[in-house]
């Protein structure tokens, strides 16, 4: 008996029946890695596979980036027409493994990864009346980062200062833009566009002829800014940013400003009374004083090693323990007003000596010595020595006078 259908029609029906049979549960889509970590500027593969004894040659595969309230088409492949469609922003950046589709490989190669590619992706496949989905998370890491500086940087009025900005790598290639600007106002300080050579360079209006970058060192990761002739108004927070084709990073540098201060020397030694408190004066000249300064007090005594009493706002624990008879104080809330004085409570004999007060701000510093002499209550200082209050002493010998023979008058 002859067939009711032409041979071509019979093949199509058999193919349909095979797909329908497979679609009843023999397809399973999955991703071996739920999270993929890619490096900005490089290529990566978003894995997705279909497990089945046989995969039809005409699946429709669609990759989508899931964003809040919307989905962005990345790339899709129609096995029937063997055509690929790339979404906006992905032209020339995606590729399917078409020769391996029949083996169930639905993975997508994403080229030249960008920071904006980070997110959750959906791999969807449609075969006849069946469809399945798998989800893959793409994390994007930096090929470099800007190293955090030791804030703040302190500049001296009238001098030059370097605001540091250093990459974690020593090789920077391709095209990129380096920009320095103020954090609060976003006002431009200095900007350079680079592509194998300086393409464009500009300075902010306030910084004309006062800033420069180290062009020969930029490709080695040095993006630091040299600020010339520091002014009091330059005190601010600055942003150093690097924007390349595949990555962006930024970092904040704080600039504090100081004048060329000097410590006013005392006109005479400080005389303290045993058992009383005394203040060793250390005051700066009237000028601009930064918030972040380093104050140090050191005790210098004959035939002894110098003893560091205070450094950067903290007293030496050893010196505090040794000086058990009284506390020591500084006026740290008045440092920005120039008062770096040291207070010694209940002074005693071991406190006598020369005290060195030194103040540093950035590359500028000054120091001065203050002599502390002691006297006892109610006793005069004599020959550089003194007696304790209430202590007995030997009576001085009576002054001798010459004897004269005097004749008595006769009565």
């Amino acid at each position: 008996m002859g067939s009711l259908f032409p041979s071509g029609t019979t093949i199509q029906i058999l193919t349909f029946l095979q797909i329908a049979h497979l679609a009843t549960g023999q397809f399973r889509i999955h991703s071996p890695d739920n999270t993929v970590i890619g490096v900005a500027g490089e290529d990566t593969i978003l894995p997705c596979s279909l497990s089945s004894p046989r995969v039809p040659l005409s699946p429709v595969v669609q990759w989508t980036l899931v964003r809040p309230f919307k989905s962005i088409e990345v790339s899709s492949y129609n096995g029937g027409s063997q055509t690929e469609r790339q979404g906006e922003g992905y032209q020339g950046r995606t590729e399917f493994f078409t020769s391996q589709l029949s083996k169930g490989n639905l993975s997508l190669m994403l080229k030249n990864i960008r920071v904006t590619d980070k997110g959750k992706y959906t791999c969807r496949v449609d075969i006849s009346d069946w469809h399945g989905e798998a989800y893959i998370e793409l994390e994007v890491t930096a090929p470099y980062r800007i190293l955090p500086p030791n804030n703040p940087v302190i500049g001296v009025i009238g001098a030059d200062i370097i605001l540091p900005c250093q990459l974690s790598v020593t090789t920077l290639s391709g095209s990129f833009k380096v920009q320095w600007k103020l954090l609060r106002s976003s006002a431009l300080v200095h900007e350079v566009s680079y592509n194998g050579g300086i393409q464009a360079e500009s300075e902010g209006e306030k910084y004309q002829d006062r800033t420069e970058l180290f062009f020969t060192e930029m490709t080695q990761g040095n993006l630091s800014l040299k600020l010339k002739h520091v002014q009091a108004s330059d005190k601010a927070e600055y942003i150093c940013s690097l924007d390349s084709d595949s990555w962006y990073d930024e970092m904040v540098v704080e600039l504090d400003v100081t004048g060329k201060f000097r410590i006013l020397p005392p006109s005479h030694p400080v005389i303290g009374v045993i058992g009383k408190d005394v203040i060793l004066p250390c005051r700066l000249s009237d000028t601009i004083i930064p918030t972040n300064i380093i104050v140090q007090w050191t005790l210098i005594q004959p035939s002894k090693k110098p003893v560091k009493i205070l450094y950067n706002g903290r007293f030496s624990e050893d010196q505090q323990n040794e000086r058990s008879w009284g506390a020591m104080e500084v006026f740290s809330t008045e440092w920005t007003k120039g008062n770096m004085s040291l207070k010694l409570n209940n002074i005693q004999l071991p406190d006598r000596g020369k005290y060195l007060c030194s103040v540093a701000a950035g590359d500028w510093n000054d120091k001065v010595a203050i002599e502390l002499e002691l006297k006892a209550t109610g006793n005069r200082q004599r020959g550089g020595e003194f007696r304790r209050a209430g202590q007995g002493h030997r009576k001085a010998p009576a002054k001798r006078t010459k004897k004269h023979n005097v004749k008595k008058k006769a009565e």
Side-chain angles (χ1 to χ4, degrees):
M1 183 177 177
S3 173
L4 298 175
F5 304 100
S7 59
T9 304
T10 303
I11 294 174
Q12 292 177 0
I13 292 174
L14 289 173
T15 302
F16 173 79
L17 291 174
Q18 289 173 343
I19 293 174
H21 173 68
L22 292 172
T24 59
Q26 295 192 37
F27 287 132
R28 187 166 64 88
I29 186 171
H30 69 280
S31 173
D33 299 312
N34 292 327
T35 301
V36 174
I37 299 177
V39 178
E42 298 183 4
D43 303 343
T44 193
I45 295 175
L46 303 178
C48 183
S49 62
L50 193 65
S51 59
S52 172
R54 187 177 60 172
V55 178
L57 297 177
S58 58
V60 176
V61 185
Q62 185 177 32
W63 280 88
T64 306
L65 174 58
V66 181
R67 291 283 192 233
F69 310 112
K70 67 175 182 178
S71 294
I72 301 173
E73 181 184 2
V74 177
S75 188
S76 60
Y77 182 81
N78 190 321
S81 60
Q82 297 186 357
T83 56
E84 180 181 353
R85 184 177 65 188
Q86 296 175 325
E88 185 178 354
Y90 294 92
Q91 287 83 1
R93 294 180 55 221
T94 63
E95 182 180 337
F96 282 94
F97 299 88
T98 54
S99 63
Q100 300 180 28
L101 284 175
S102 61
K103 300 177 183 179
N105 187 1
L106 313 179
S107 302
L108 182 72
M109 177 178 284
L110 185 57
K111 303 176 182 179
N112 190 22
I113 298 174
R114 303 170 181 171
V115 179
T116 52
D117 292 332
K118 176 181 177 180
K120 184 178 182 179
Y121 288 77
T122 301
C123 169
R124 177 187 171 107
V125 61
D126 288 271
I127 301 174
S128 186
D129 295 332
W130 180 90
H131 75 272
E133 293 181 347
Y135 298 94
I136 300 94
E137 190 79 26
L138 174 63
E139 295 286 345
V140 180
T141 62
Y144 54 79
R145 64 186 180 92
I146 299 178
L147 301 175
N150 294 320
N151 277 326
V153 177
I154 299 179
V156 180
I157 292 177
D160 301 344
I161 189 68
I162 293 177
L163 303 182
C165 186
Q166 183 70 44
L167 295 184
S168 59
V169 295
T170 56
T171 302
L172 184 61
S173 59
S175 59
F176 56 84
K177 181 172 72 174
V178 179
Q179 185 183 71
W180 281 87
K181 62 182 180 180
L182 293 176
L183 175 63
R184 292 186 179 274
S185 64
S186 296
L188 178 66
V189 178
H190 201 114
E191 182 179 272
V192 167
S193 295
Y194 185 91
N195 187 11
I198 304 301
Q199 288 185 314
E201 182 179 6
S202 57
E203 291 176 301
E205 182 178 355
K206 178 184 172 183
Y207 300 93
Q208 291 293 320
D209 301 321
R210 292 182 57 219
T211 60
E212 67 177 59
L213 294 175
F214 301 88
F215 298 129
T216 58
E217 299 180 21
M218 284 197 302
T219 55
Q220 300 170 23
N222 185 9
L223 313 180
S224 302
L225 176 76
K226 184 176 183 179
L227 179 59
K228 304 175 184 178
H229 310 300
V230 173
Q231 304 171 4
S233 58
D234 291 331
K235 178 179 179 179
E237 290 179 304
Y238 296 76
I239 295 179
C240 169
S241 65
L242 174 64
D243 190 359
S244 66
D245 293 334
S246 58
W247 186 252
Y248 175 88
D249 197 15
E250 64 181 32
M251 174 270 300
V252 177
V253 180
E254 180 184 354
L255 173 63
D256 207 346
V257 175
T258 180
K260 294 182 179 180
F261 59 79
R262 65 184 184 90
I263 301 176
L264 303 175
S267 57
H268 50 74
V270 175
I271 309 295
V273 178
I274 289 180
K276 301 294 185 180
D277 302 342
V278 70
I279 294 178
L280 304 178
C282 183
R283 290 185 174 274
L284 304 189
S285 56
D286 186 19
T287 185
I288 296 174
I289 302 169
T291 304
N292 296 274
I293 54 178
I294 296 176
V295 180
Q296 179 174 315
W297 277 92
T298 306
L299 172 59
I300 301 174
Q301 294 174 315
S303 304
K304 291 184 179 180
K305 290 180 63 176
V307 178
K308 187 180 294 184
I309 299 174
L310 177 88
Y311 181 78
N312 204 16
R314 300 188 65 178
F315 284 102
S316 165
E317 188 174 341
D318 292 341
Q319 183 64 13
Q320 281 183 312
N321 293 335
E322 183 176 339
R323 196 179 184 279
S324 58
W325 54 86
M328 298 178 288
E329 303 175 37
V330 288
F331 307 89
S332 53
T333 57
E334 298 182 22
W335 281 2
T336 55
K337 300 176 183 178
N339 184 10
M340 282 70 183
S341 303
L342 174 68
K343 183 178 180 181
L344 302 178
N345 295 333
N346 187 28
I347 56 174
Q348 300 296 325
L349 273 172
D351 292 323
R352 183 178 53 177
K354 182 183 292 184
Y355 290 77
L356 191 66
C357 174
S358 59
V359 182
D363 294 332
W364 188 259
N365 64 83
D366 195 14
K367 58 186 175 182
V368 71
I370 300 101
E371 190 78 32
L372 174 61
E373 297 179 359
L374 301 183
K375 70 176 182 177
T377 306
N379 286 272
R380 292 184 177 179
Q381 188 174 353
R382 181 182 178 187
E385 301 294 334
F386 57 87
R387 302 180 184 89
R388 294 180 184 274
Q391 182 179 355
H393 59 278
R394 189 176 63 180
K395 186 176 180 180
K399 186 176 181 181
R400 294 185 178 183
T401 57
K402 292 183 179 180
K403 292 183 178 181
H404 299 276
N405 293 325
V406 180
K407 292 182 179 181
K408 293 183 179 181
K409 291 182 180 181
E411 295 180 0

